[in-house]
Short mmCIF file of all heavy atoms in Angstrom, two decimals:
data_model
loop_
_atom_site.label_atom_id
_atom_site.label_comp_id
_atom_site.label_asym_id
_atom_site.label_seq_id
_atom_site.Cartn_x
_atom_site.Cartn_y
_atom_site.Cartn_z
N GLY A 220 26.66 128.89 123.22
CA GLY A 220 27.06 127.54 123.18
C GLY A 220 27.21 127.05 121.81
O GLY A 220 27.21 125.79 121.50
N VAL A 221 27.52 127.90 120.80
CA VAL A 221 27.71 127.54 119.49
C VAL A 221 29.15 126.94 119.19
O VAL A 221 29.99 127.47 119.81
CB VAL A 221 27.28 128.70 118.47
CG1 VAL A 221 25.90 129.07 118.70
CG2 VAL A 221 28.18 129.83 118.61
N LYS A 222 29.23 126.11 118.25
CA LYS A 222 30.51 125.53 117.82
C LYS A 222 30.94 126.35 116.62
O LYS A 222 32.19 126.68 116.41
CB LYS A 222 30.32 124.14 117.46
CG LYS A 222 31.60 123.50 116.69
CD LYS A 222 32.82 123.45 117.64
CE LYS A 222 34.05 122.82 116.96
NZ LYS A 222 35.29 122.95 117.64
N TYR A 223 30.01 126.75 115.70
CA TYR A 223 30.34 127.33 114.45
C TYR A 223 29.58 128.81 114.36
O TYR A 223 28.50 128.84 115.00
CB TYR A 223 30.00 126.61 113.25
CG TYR A 223 30.83 125.27 113.26
CD1 TYR A 223 30.19 124.05 113.52
CD2 TYR A 223 32.15 125.28 112.99
CE1 TYR A 223 30.95 122.90 113.53
CE2 TYR A 223 32.96 124.14 112.90
CZ TYR A 223 32.33 122.91 113.20
OH TYR A 223 32.93 121.64 113.28
N LEU A 224 30.12 129.61 113.69
CA LEU A 224 29.64 131.00 113.54
C LEU A 224 29.65 131.45 112.05
O LEU A 224 30.63 131.29 111.53
CB LEU A 224 30.39 131.99 114.33
CG LEU A 224 29.82 133.42 114.48
CD1 LEU A 224 28.47 133.46 115.16
CD2 LEU A 224 30.82 134.23 115.30
N VAL A 225 28.60 131.94 111.52
CA VAL A 225 28.54 132.48 110.21
C VAL A 225 28.44 133.99 110.31
O VAL A 225 27.45 134.51 111.02
CB VAL A 225 27.42 131.92 109.30
CG1 VAL A 225 27.33 132.59 107.93
CG2 VAL A 225 27.60 130.41 109.22
N SER A 226 29.33 134.79 109.68
CA SER A 226 29.16 136.29 109.73
C SER A 226 29.55 136.75 108.37
O SER A 226 30.12 136.05 107.55
CB SER A 226 30.02 136.88 110.83
OG SER A 226 31.42 136.56 110.59
N GLY A 227 29.43 138.10 108.15
CA GLY A 227 29.82 138.61 106.91
C GLY A 227 29.43 140.11 106.73
O GLY A 227 28.96 140.73 107.57
N SER A 228 29.55 140.57 105.43
CA SER A 228 29.23 141.85 105.18
C SER A 228 28.46 141.71 103.82
O SER A 228 28.51 140.87 103.14
CB SER A 228 30.44 142.76 104.97
OG SER A 228 31.31 142.27 104.02
N VAL A 229 27.61 142.85 103.63
CA VAL A 229 26.73 142.88 102.47
C VAL A 229 26.78 144.31 101.87
O VAL A 229 26.79 145.23 102.70
CB VAL A 229 25.31 142.50 102.73
CG1 VAL A 229 24.73 143.32 103.82
CG2 VAL A 229 24.45 142.30 101.44
N ARG A 230 26.78 144.47 100.59
CA ARG A 230 26.72 145.69 99.95
C ARG A 230 25.68 145.71 98.79
O ARG A 230 25.74 144.68 98.07
CB ARG A 230 28.17 145.91 99.39
CG ARG A 230 28.22 147.38 98.59
CD ARG A 230 29.45 147.35 97.85
NE ARG A 230 30.73 147.13 98.65
CZ ARG A 230 31.42 147.97 99.30
NH1 ARG A 230 31.07 149.28 99.16
NH2 ARG A 230 32.53 147.71 100.04
N ALA A 231 24.91 146.67 98.73
CA ALA A 231 23.91 146.77 97.58
C ALA A 231 24.42 147.82 96.53
O ALA A 231 24.72 148.88 96.98
CB ALA A 231 22.60 147.11 98.19
N ASN A 232 24.44 147.43 95.31
CA ASN A 232 24.60 148.32 94.21
C ASN A 232 23.51 148.25 93.31
O ASN A 232 23.46 147.46 92.29
CB ASN A 232 26.06 147.87 93.70
CG ASN A 232 26.48 149.06 92.68
OD1 ASN A 232 25.94 150.07 92.43
ND2 ASN A 232 27.72 148.69 91.94
N GLY A 233 22.61 149.20 93.30
CA GLY A 233 21.52 149.09 92.47
C GLY A 233 20.65 147.91 92.75
O GLY A 233 20.20 147.61 93.95
N GLN A 234 20.45 146.99 91.89
CA GLN A 234 19.60 145.82 91.92
C GLN A 234 20.52 144.53 92.13
O GLN A 234 20.04 143.41 92.02
CB GLN A 234 18.79 145.65 90.77
CG GLN A 234 17.77 146.65 90.63
CD GLN A 234 16.69 146.65 91.72
OE1 GLN A 234 16.02 145.66 92.01
NE2 GLN A 234 16.69 147.81 92.38
N VAL A 235 21.74 144.82 92.58
CA VAL A 235 22.59 143.64 92.76
C VAL A 235 23.15 143.65 94.24
O VAL A 235 23.51 144.74 94.68
CB VAL A 235 23.88 143.74 91.71
CG1 VAL A 235 24.91 142.51 92.10
CG2 VAL A 235 23.43 143.54 90.38
N VAL A 236 23.20 142.46 94.80
CA VAL A 236 23.56 142.36 96.14
C VAL A 236 24.90 141.53 96.21
O VAL A 236 24.91 140.48 95.54
CB VAL A 236 22.60 141.71 97.10
CG1 VAL A 236 23.16 141.45 98.56
CG2 VAL A 236 21.35 142.51 97.25
N ALA A 237 26.02 142.10 96.88
CA ALA A 237 27.13 141.33 96.96
C ALA A 237 27.51 141.10 98.44
O ALA A 237 27.35 141.90 99.20
CB ALA A 237 28.33 142.15 96.44
N ALA A 238 27.82 139.87 98.82
CA ALA A 238 28.01 139.50 100.16
C ALA A 238 29.37 138.74 100.22
O ALA A 238 29.78 137.88 99.43
CB ALA A 238 26.96 138.67 100.64
N GLU A 239 30.08 139.12 101.35
CA GLU A 239 31.29 138.25 101.86
C GLU A 239 30.83 137.40 102.98
O GLU A 239 30.44 137.93 104.01
CB GLU A 239 32.31 139.23 102.18
CG GLU A 239 32.81 140.21 101.09
CD GLU A 239 33.54 139.45 99.90
OE1 GLU A 239 34.01 138.35 100.11
OE2 GLU A 239 33.61 140.06 98.79
N ILE A 240 30.91 136.18 102.91
CA ILE A 240 30.42 135.30 103.88
C ILE A 240 31.56 134.39 104.47
O ILE A 240 32.43 133.84 103.70
CB ILE A 240 29.36 134.39 103.32
CG1 ILE A 240 28.16 135.16 102.71
CG2 ILE A 240 28.70 133.51 104.53
CD1 ILE A 240 27.17 134.43 102.12
N GLU A 241 31.73 134.36 105.76
CA GLU A 241 32.68 133.61 106.44
C GLU A 241 32.05 132.56 107.43
O GLU A 241 31.03 132.89 108.03
CB GLU A 241 33.63 134.45 107.21
CG GLU A 241 34.52 135.48 106.31
CD GLU A 241 35.46 136.24 107.17
OE1 GLU A 241 35.22 136.43 108.31
OE2 GLU A 241 36.41 136.85 106.57
N LEU A 242 32.66 131.41 107.55
CA LEU A 242 32.35 130.46 108.60
C LEU A 242 33.61 130.26 109.46
O LEU A 242 34.65 130.07 109.01
CB LEU A 242 32.02 129.07 107.66
CG LEU A 242 31.86 127.87 108.65
CD1 LEU A 242 30.55 128.07 109.37
CD2 LEU A 242 31.84 126.62 107.87
#
Side-chain angles (χ1 to χ4, degrees):
V221 299
K222 171 65 178 173
Y223 300 105
L224 181 68
V225 178
S226 65
S228 61
V229 59
R230 181 192 304 269
N232 185 6
Q234 293 297 300
V235 176
V236 176
E239 303 291 338
I240 305 178
E241 293 183 342
L242 174 66

